[in-house]
């Protein structure tokens, strides 16, 4: 699979297209919403036609794992997060 992010922009949009091994392209909305001393990162998984409940759960679990890893990196001592 390959991932292509949207061009850098002032809106906090980190939308990205994931090209699966089948050639199917899945568009994923991702936002970084600033506020106060930090920001909130929001990813909205979408159900593709013909996707089973199990596949949707797997996709949601993968999104959660990615956001959890991002949180660990940003909040670790010496990391890029607020000081």
């Amino acid at each position: 699979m390959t991932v292509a992010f949207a061009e850098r922009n002032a809106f906090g949009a980190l939308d990205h297209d994931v090209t699966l091994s089948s050639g199917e392209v899945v568009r994923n909305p991702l936002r970084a919403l600033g506020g106060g001393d930090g920001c909130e990162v929001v990813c909205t998984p979408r159900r593709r036609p013909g996707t089973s409940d199990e596949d949707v759960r797997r996709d949601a679990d993968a999104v959660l794992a990615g956001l959890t890893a991002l949180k660990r990196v940003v909040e670790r001592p010496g990391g890029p997060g607020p000081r």
Side-chain angles (χ1 to χ4, degrees):
M1 108 174 60
T2 61
V3 179
F5 280 88
E7 295 291 324
R8 184 178 291 262
N9 61 78
F11 304 108
L14 299 164
D15 296 354
H16 55 286
D17 292 343
V18 175
T19 303
L20 306 176
S21 58
S22 66
E24 177 184 7
V25 176
V26 180
R27 296 184 180 258
N28 298 285
L30 180 65
R31 300 288 189 275
L33 309 169
D37 289 340
C39 76
E40 178 180 9
V41 177
V42 180
C43 183
T44 308
R46 294 185 173 157
R47 185 179 200 133
R48 297 183 325 272
T51 305
S52 70
D53 289 345
E54 180 59 30
D55 287 339
V56 170
R57 276 190 291 277
R58 193 174 311 121
D59 287 348
D61 287 346
V63 168
L64 179 58
L67 291 174
T68 300
L70 175 63
K71 183 179 188 326
R72 274 195 310 270
V73 168
V74 170
E75 292 180 348
R76 75 176 177 227
R83 298 201 184 7

